[in-house]
Amino acid sequence: MVPTPTSEKALSYGLLDVLIRAGMIAVLVIFCFQIFYPFLDLMLWSVILAITLYPLQGRLKGMLGNNEGYTATLIVLISIGILMVPIYLLGTSIADSVASVMTMVKSGGIHIPLPADSVAGWPLVGKPLYGFWLQAATDLPDLAQKFIPQIKGVSLSLLGKLAGVGMGFLIFFFALIIAGIFMAYGENGARSAVQISSRISGPLKGPKLTELCTATIRAVALGVVGIAFIQMVLIGVGFVLKGIPGAGLLALAVLLLGIMQLPATLITIPVIVFVFVTEGASTATIVFAIYIFVAGLSDNVLKPLLLGRGVDVPMPVVLIGALGGMVANGIIGLFIGPVILAVGYQLFWQWVKDQPQGGGPADQPKS
């Protein structure tokens, strides 16, 4: 059948109409994204917290007359009350550490020992290192004067990171409040999630897709981020009560190592050695050493309880998510990154496994 000029004209008008509609939809999506983007991290973190805490709400709401709003409010208030004490202690410790370092630098109270003569005999780096160390020990102000631009840049970067930590904790509290609102409407939210996923992947796969995303978020949020945060609190409170220099910064290092799935003993063992060297063996130091050592190994007990639940997320995925999230979005990205990347990883492999039967090239009939 040969197309007539009328049919070609109708086809061109139909194509133009489709392009105009697609363009208007694209413009609307772009504008909506630009408006929503400043709140993206906050809303992602709120959804993650709501999904993670919702099973707890299901257990508690029966005690409060099945009132979703009261139960969500109670969970948020208790969570904020529990978190305020360790966060306040760690924040105070970080501020005191920064203030003491600045005071020490201004007063010239930094004393560097002279290098041993054997340092100069080290291959390749021995002589330059010996000269730098000797000047630092004998004329530190003059050496610092040479590196003022670099020191200034590092100091500003460090202060910016510390400010980002404070902002991250502030965002966390706001996200917790918003998560309480989400949990108050949890049943409607669950139905909406199933409807959206069913619209994307079909009515048969939609509920399974929602269940997979929910299980992955809970497993990673509890088993990776949650365990790292609990370990940071346990170890950090011990450091603060013992008066360890830079206790807050060391606690943040424990948090980072925990999310990266590295052992906290990389921090706890050197601190225990430092305490024994500086204070000697006593009842207080032995009790502190036992507590910190056990707290550093607590993830081995918590992981079987909180991580897994049928969801297998390799450690490199979590590590890349933590580092990439921190680089992209600071301290809040450190928490969100592993969760989002783990969800993407699970969805990708679910898509790979859900290949249509008989749809591959090898299954096509031969001519």
Side-chain angles (χ1 to χ4, degrees):
M1 180 178 180
V2 180
T4 63
T6 304
S7 63
E8 291 180 353
K9 188 175 181 180
L11 181 62
S12 63
Y13 276 126
L15 179 61
L16 181 61
D17 182 65
V18 170
L19 292 176
I20 291 175
R21 291 184 182 182
M24 293 179 67
I25 293 173
V27 170
L28 180 61
V29 169
I30 291 172
F31 275 114
C32 290
F33 179 77
Q34 289 178 343
I35 294 171
F36 183 74
Y37 181 75
F39 305 96
L40 180 61
D41 290 343
L42 177 63
M43 299 307 293
L44 283 175
W45 195 215
S46 301
V47 171
I48 291 170
L49 288 173
I51 293 175
T52 304
L53 295 175
Y54 193 71
L56 177 62
Q57 171 153 330
R59 297 188 186 100
L60 294 179
K61 69 179 182 180
M63 305 176 186
L64 299 174
N66 291 320
N67 191 307
E68 298 269 5
Y70 289 158
T71 309
T73 303
L74 180 62
I75 292 175
V76 171
L77 292 177
I78 293 176
S79 301
I80 292 176
I82 293 174
L83 295 174
M84 281 298 294
V85 175
I87 288 177
Y88 171 77
L89 292 175
L90 295 178
T92 303
S93 174
I94 292 175
D96 292 342
S97 301
V98 174
S100 63
V101 170
M102 293 180 64
T103 302
M104 189 181 298
V105 171
K106 290 180 180 178
S107 62
I110 300 177
H111 300 286
I112 299 177
L114 291 171
D117 294 336
S118 59
V119 175
W122 292 357
L124 299 178
V125 298
K127 291 184 178 180
L129 178 61
Y130 180 83
F132 182 83
W133 191 344
L134 181 63
Q135 186 177 4
T138 57
D139 192 8
L140 183 59
D142 184 59
L143 180 64
Q145 190 71 22
K146 296 179 181 178
F147 293 96
I148 280 181
Q150 292 84 350
I151 295 175
K152 184 178 179 181
V154 172
S155 301
L156 291 176
S157 177
L158 179 60
L159 290 175
K161 294 297 183 183
L162 293 178
V165 171
M167 183 59 67
F169 283 128
L170 186 62
I171 292 176
F172 176 81
F173 283 117
F174 279 113
L176 191 57
I177 294 172
I178 297 174
I181 299 174
F182 288 159
M183 287 190 294
Y185 299 92
E187 294 183 1
N188 293 331
R191 285 195 296 267
S192 299
V194 172
Q195 289 175 353
I196 293 172
S197 59
S198 298
R199 184 68 179 86
I200 294 174
S201 57
L204 295 179
K205 296 181 181 179
K208 296 181 180 179
L209 187 66
T210 305
E211 184 179 353
L212 176 65
C213 293
T214 302
T216 303
I217 289 173
R218 286 174 182 163
V220 177
L222 287 174
V224 177
V225 180
I227 290 175
F229 189 83
I230 293 172
Q231 214 169 16
M232 179 199 73
V233 172
L234 293 175
I235 296 174
V237 170
F239 286 172
V240 171
L241 295 178
K242 187 60 179 174
I244 302 297
L249 297 177
L250 291 173
L252 288 177
V254 170
L255 176 65
L256 179 61
L257 290 177
I259 294 179
M260 294 169 58
Q261 300 295 284
L262 297 176
T265 51
L266 295 174
I267 302 292
T268 58
I269 291 179
V271 170
I272 292 172
V273 173
F274 169 80
V275 169
F276 275 105
V277 170
T278 55
E279 300 184 16
S282 64
T283 303
T285 55
I286 292 175
V287 171
F288 169 79
I290 294 174
Y291 170 77
I292 292 299
F293 185 75
V294 172
L297 298 176
S298 60
D299 58 325
N300 296 309
V301 178
L302 294 173
K303 281 181 179 178
L305 299 176
L306 300 178
L307 183 61
R309 304 183 187 276
V311 177
D312 182 21
V313 180
M315 189 189 74
V317 174
V318 176
L319 175 60
I320 294 173
L323 295 179
M326 186 172 61
V327 171
N329 296 309
I331 188 68
I332 196 70
L334 182 67
F335 300 101
I336 298 176
V339 180
I340 299 300
L341 195 61
V343 171
Y345 172 85
Q346 291 290 341
L347 291 179
F348 171 75
W349 280 109
Q350 186 69 26
W351 172 76
V352 170
K353 295 174 182 177
D354 278 344
Q355 295 186 16
Q357 298 296 326
D363 297 322
Q364 298 296 330
K366 296 181 181 180
S367 56

Coordinates of all heavy atoms in Angstrom, one line a residue, residues 256-308:
L256 N 34.2 5.8 60.4 CA 34.6 5.6 59.0 C 35.1 4.2 58.7 O 34.8 3.6 57.7 CB 35.7 6.6 58.6 CG 36.3 6.6 57.2 CD1 35.2 6.9 56.2 CD2 37.4 7.6 57.1
L257 N 36.0 3.7 59.6 CA 36.5 2.3 59.4 C 35.3 1.3 59.4 O 35.3 0.3 58.7 CB 37.5 2.0 60.5 CG 38.8 2.7 60.4 CD1 39.7 2.3 61.6 CD2 39.6 2.4 59.2
G258 N 34.3 1.5 60.3 CA 33.2 0.6 60.4 C 32.4 0.5 59.1 O 32.0 -0.5 58.7
I259 N 32.1 1.7 58.5 CA 31.4 1.7 57.3 C 32.2 1.1 56.1 O 31.6 0.5 55.2 CB 31.0 3.2 57.0 CG1 30.0 3.7 58.0 CG2 30.3 3.3 55.6 CD1 29.5 5.1 57.9
M260 N 33.5 1.3 56.2 CA 34.4 0.7 55.2 C 34.6 -0.8 55.4 O 35.4 -1.4 54.7 CB 35.7 1.5 55.1 CG 35.6 2.9 54.7 SD 37.1 3.9 54.9 CE 38.3 2.9 54.0
Q261 N 34.0 -1.3 56.5 CA 34.1 -2.7 56.8 C 35.6 -3.1 57.2 O 36.0 -4.2 57.0 CB 33.7 -3.6 55.7 CG 32.2 -3.4 55.3 CD 31.3 -3.8 56.4 OE1 31.0 -5.0 56.6 NE2 30.7 -2.9 57.1
L262 N 36.3 -2.2 57.8 CA 37.6 -2.4 58.4 C 37.5 -2.5 59.9 O 36.7 -1.9 60.5 CB 38.6 -1.3 58.0 CG 38.8 -1.1 56.5 CD1 39.7 0.1 56.2 CD2 39.5 -2.4 55.9
P263 N 38.4 -3.3 60.5 CA 38.3 -3.5 62.0 C 38.6 -2.3 62.8 O 39.5 -1.5 62.5 CB 39.3 -4.6 62.2 CG 40.3 -4.5 61.1 CD 39.5 -4.1 59.9
A264 N 37.8 -2.1 63.8 CA 38.0 -0.9 64.7 C 39.3 -1.1 65.5 O 39.8 -0.1 66.1 CB 36.8 -0.7 65.6
T265 N 39.8 -2.3 65.6 CA 41.1 -2.5 66.3 C 42.2 -1.7 65.8 O 43.3 -1.5 66.5 CB 41.4 -4.0 66.4 OG1 41.4 -4.5 65.0 CG2 40.4 -4.8 67.2
L266 N 42.1 -1.3 64.5 CA 43.2 -0.4 64.0 C 43.3 0.9 64.8 O 44.4 1.6 64.8 CB 42.9 -0.1 62.5 CG 42.9 -1.3 61.5 CD1 42.5 -0.8 60.2 CD2 44.3 -1.9 61.5
I267 N 42.2 1.3 65.5 CA 42.2 2.5 66.3 C 42.4 2.1 67.8 O 43.1 2.7 68.5 CB 40.9 3.3 66.1 CG1 40.8 3.7 64.7 CG2 40.9 4.5 67.0 CD1 41.8 4.7 64.2
T268 N 41.7 1.1 68.2 CA 41.6 0.8 69.6 C 42.9 0.2 70.2 O 43.3 0.6 71.3 CB 40.5 -0.3 69.9 OG1 40.7 -1.4 69.2 CG2 39.1 0.3 69.5
I269 N 43.6 -0.6 69.5 CA 44.8 -1.2 70.0 C 45.9 -0.1 70.2 O 46.6 -0.1 71.2 CB 45.3 -2.4 69.1 CG1 44.4 -3.6 69.2 CG2 46.7 -2.8 69.4 CD1 44.7 -4.7 68.4
P270 N 46.2 0.8 69.2 CA 47.2 1.8 69.5 C 46.8 2.7 70.6 O 47.7 3.1 71.4 CB 47.2 2.6 68.1 CG 46.8 1.7 67.1 CD 45.8 0.8 67.8
V271 N 45.5 3.0 70.8 CA 45.0 3.8 72.0 C 45.3 3.1 73.3 O 45.8 3.7 74.3 CB 43.6 4.2 71.8 CG1 43.1 4.8 73.1 CG2 43.4 5.1 70.7
I272 N 45.0 1.8 73.3 CA 45.3 1.0 74.5 C 46.8 1.0 74.8 O 47.2 1.2 76.0 CB 44.8 -0.5 74.3 CG1 43.3 -0.5 74.3 CG2 45.3 -1.4 75.5 CD1 42.7 -1.9 73.9
V273 N 47.6 0.8 73.8 CA 49.1 0.9 74.0 C 49.5 2.3 74.5 O 50.3 2.4 75.5 CB 49.8 0.5 72.7 CG1 51.3 0.8 72.9 CG2 49.6 -0.9 72.3
F274 N 48.9 3.3 74.0 CA 49.2 4.7 74.4 C 48.9 4.9 75.9 O 49.6 5.5 76.7 CB 48.5 5.7 73.6 CG 48.5 7.1 74.1 CD1 49.6 7.9 73.9 CD2 47.4 7.6 74.8 CE1 49.6 9.2 74.3 CE2 47.4 8.9 75.3 CZ 48.5 9.7 75.0
V275 N 47.7 4.4 76.3 CA 47.3 4.5 77.7 C 48.3 3.8 78.6 O 48.7 4.3 79.7 CB 45.9 4.0 77.9 CG1 45.5 3.9 79.4 CG2 44.9 4.9 77.2
F276 N 48.7 2.6 78.3 CA 49.6 1.8 79.2 C 51.0 2.5 79.2 O 51.6 2.4 80.3 CB 49.7 0.4 78.7 CG 48.6 -0.5 79.2 CD1 47.6 -1.0 78.4 CD2 48.7 -1.0 80.5 CE1 46.6 -1.8 78.9 CE2 47.7 -1.8 81.0 CZ 46.6 -2.2 80.2
V277 N 51.4 3.0 78.1 CA 52.7 3.7 78.1 C 52.7 4.9 78.9 O 53.7 5.2 79.6 CB 53.1 4.0 76.6 CG1 54.4 4.9 76.6 CG2 53.4 2.7 75.9
T278 N 51.7 5.7 78.8 CA 51.6 7.0 79.5 C 51.2 6.9 81.0 O 51.6 7.7 81.8 CB 50.7 8.0 78.8 OG1 49.4 7.4 78.7 CG2 51.2 8.3 77.4
E279 N 50.3 5.9 81.3 CA 49.8 5.8 82.6 C 50.2 4.6 83.4 O 50.0 4.5 84.6 CB 48.2 5.9 82.6 CG 47.7 7.2 82.0 CD 46.1 7.2 82.0 OE1 45.6 6.4 82.8 OE2 45.5 8.0 81.3
G280 N 50.8 3.6 82.7 CA 51.2 2.4 83.4 C 50.0 1.5 83.6 O 48.8 1.8 83.3
A281 N 50.3 0.3 84.2 CA 49.3 -0.7 84.4 C 48.6 -0.4 85.8 O 49.3 -0.4 86.8 CB 49.9 -2.1 84.4
S282 N 47.4 -0.2 85.8 CA 46.6 0.0 87.0 C 45.2 -0.6 86.8 O 44.9 -1.0 85.7 CB 46.5 1.5 87.4 OG 45.8 2.2 86.4
T283 N 44.4 -0.6 87.8 CA 43.1 -1.1 87.7 C 42.2 -0.4 86.7 O 41.5 -0.9 85.8 CB 42.3 -1.1 89.1 OG1 43.1 -1.8 90.0 CG2 40.9 -1.7 89.0
A284 N 42.4 1.0 86.7 CA 41.6 1.8 85.8 C 42.0 1.6 84.3 O 41.2 1.4 83.4 CB 41.8 3.3 86.1
T285 N 43.3 1.5 84.1 CA 43.8 1.3 82.7 C 43.5 -0.1 82.2 O 43.1 -0.3 81.0 CB 45.3 1.5 82.6 OG1 46.0 0.7 83.6 CG2 45.7 2.9 82.9
I286 N 43.5 -1.1 83.1 CA 43.2 -2.5 82.7 C 41.7 -2.6 82.3 O 41.3 -3.2 81.3 CB 43.5 -3.5 83.8 CG1 45.1 -3.6 83.9 CG2 43.0 -4.9 83.5 CD1 45.5 -4.4 85.1
V287 N 40.8 -2.0 83.2 CA 39.4 -2.0 82.9 C 39.1 -1.2 81.6 O 38.3 -1.7 80.7 CB 38.6 -1.3 84.0 CG1 37.2 -1.1 83.7 CG2 38.7 -2.2 85.3
F288 N 39.8 -0.1 81.4 CA 39.6 0.7 80.1 C 40.0 -0.2 78.9 O 39.3 -0.2 77.9 CB 40.4 2.0 80.2 CG 40.5 2.7 78.9 CD1 39.5 3.5 78.4 CD2 41.7 2.6 78.1 CE1 39.6 4.1 77.2 CE2 41.8 3.2 76.9 CZ 40.7 4.0 76.4
A289 N 41.2 -0.9 79.0 CA 41.7 -1.7 77.9 C 40.7 -2.8 77.6 O 40.5 -3.1 76.4 CB 43.1 -2.2 78.3
I290 N 40.2 -3.5 78.6 CA 39.3 -4.6 78.3 C 38.0 -4.1 77.7 O 37.5 -4.6 76.7 CB 39.0 -5.3 79.7 CG1 40.2 -6.0 80.2 CG2 37.8 -6.3 79.4 CD1 40.0 -6.6 81.6
Y291 N 37.5 -2.9 78.2 CA 36.2 -2.4 77.6 C 36.4 -2.0 76.2 O 35.6 -2.3 75.3 CB 35.8 -1.2 78.5 CG 34.7 -0.4 77.8 CD1 33.4 -0.9 77.8 CD2 34.9 0.8 77.2 CE1 32.3 -0.2 77.2 CE2 33.9 1.5 76.5 CZ 32.6 1.0 76.6 OH 31.6 1.7 76.0
I292 N 37.5 -1.2 75.9 CA 37.7 -0.7 74.5 C 38.0 -1.9 73.6 O 37.6 -1.9 72.4 CB 38.9 0.3 74.5 CG1 38.5 1.5 75.3 CG2 39.3 0.6 73.1 CD1 37.3 2.3 74.7
F293 N 38.8 -2.9 74.1 CA 39.1 -4.0 73.2 C 37.8 -4.8 72.8 O 37.6 -5.2 71.7 CB 40.1 -5.0 73.9 CG 40.5 -6.1 73.0 CD1 41.4 -5.9 72.0 CD2 40.0 -7.4 73.2 CE1 41.8 -6.9 71.2 CE2 40.5 -8.4 72.4 CZ 41.4 -8.2 71.4
V294 N 36.9 -5.0 73.8 CA 35.7 -5.7 73.6 C 34.7 -4.9 72.7 O 34.1 -5.4 71.8 CB 35.0 -6.1 74.9 CG1 33.6 -6.6 74.7 CG2 35.8 -7.1 75.7
A295 N 34.7 -3.5 72.9 CA 33.9 -2.7 72.1 C 34.4 -2.7 70.6 O 33.6 -2.6 69.7 CB 33.9 -1.3 72.6
G296 N 35.7 -2.8 70.5 CA 36.2 -2.9 69.1 C 35.9 -4.1 68.4 O 35.9 -4.2 67.1
L297 N 35.6 -5.2 69.1 CA 35.2 -6.5 68.5 C 33.7 -6.7 68.5 O 33.2 -7.8 68.1 CB 35.9 -7.6 69.2 CG 37.4 -7.6 69.2 CD1 37.9 -8.8 70.1 CD2 37.9 -7.7 67.8
S298 N 32.9 -5.7 69.0 CA 31.5 -5.9 69.1 C 30.8 -6.1 67.8 O 29.7 -6.7 67.7 CB 30.8 -4.7 69.8 OG 31.1 -3.5 69.0
D299 N 31.4 -5.7 66.7 CA 30.8 -5.9 65.4 C 30.7 -7.3 65.0 O 29.8 -7.8 64.3 CB 31.5 -5.1 64.3 CG 33.0 -5.6 64.2 OD1 33.6 -5.9 65.2 OD2 33.6 -5.6 63.1
N300 N 31.6 -8.2 65.6 CA 31.5 -9.6 65.3 C 30.2 -10.2 65.9 O 29.8 -11.3 65.4 CB 32.7 -10.3 65.8 CG 34.0 -9.8 65.1 OD1 34.1 -9.9 63.9 ND2 35.0 -9.4 65.9
V301 N 29.7 -9.6 67.0 CA 28.5 -10.1 67.6 C 27.3 -9.5 66.9 O 26.2 -10.2 66.7 CB 28.5 -9.8 69.1 CG1 27.2 -10.3 69.8 CG2 29.7 -10.5 69.8
L302 N 27.4 -8.2 66.6 CA 26.2 -7.5 66.0 C 25.9 -7.9 64.6 O 24.8 -7.9 64.2 CB 26.5 -6.0 66.1 CG 26.5 -5.4 67.5 CD1 27.0 -3.9 67.5 CD2 25.2 -5.5 68.3
K303 N 26.9 -8.1 63.8 CA 26.7 -8.4 62.4 C 25.8 -9.6 62.2 O 24.9 -9.6 61.3 CB 28.1 -8.6 61.7 CG 28.7 -7.3 61.3 CD 30.0 -7.5 60.6 CE 30.7 -6.2 60.2 NZ 32.0 -6.3 59.6
P304 N 26.0 -10.8 62.8 CA 25.1 -11.9 62.6 C 23.6 -11.5 63.0 O 22.7 -12.1 62.5 CB 25.6 -13.0 63.5 CG 27.1 -12.7 63.7 CD 27.1 -11.2 63.7
L305 N 23.5 -10.6 63.9 CA 22.1 -10.2 64.4 C 21.5 -9.3 63.4 O 20.2 -9.3 63.2 CB 22.2 -9.6 65.8 CG 22.7 -10.5 66.9 CD1 22.8 -9.7 68.2 CD2 21.8 -11.7 67.1
L306 N 22.2 -8.3 62.8 CA 21.6 -7.3 62.1 C 21.9 -7.3 60.6 O 21.1 -6.8 59.8 CB 22.2 -5.9 62.6 CG 21.9 -5.6 64.1 CD1 22.5 -4.3 64.4 CD2 20.4 -5.6 64.3
L307 N 23.0 -7.9 60.2 CA 23.3 -8.0 58.7 C 22.9 -9.3 58.1 O 22.9 -10.3 58.7 CB 24.9 -7.8 58.5 CG 25.4 -7.7 57.1 CD1 24.7 -6.5 56.4 CD2 26.9 -7.6 57.1
G308 N 22.6 -9.2 56.8 CA 22.2 -10.4 56.1 C 20.7 -10.4 55.8 O 20.2 -9.7 55.0

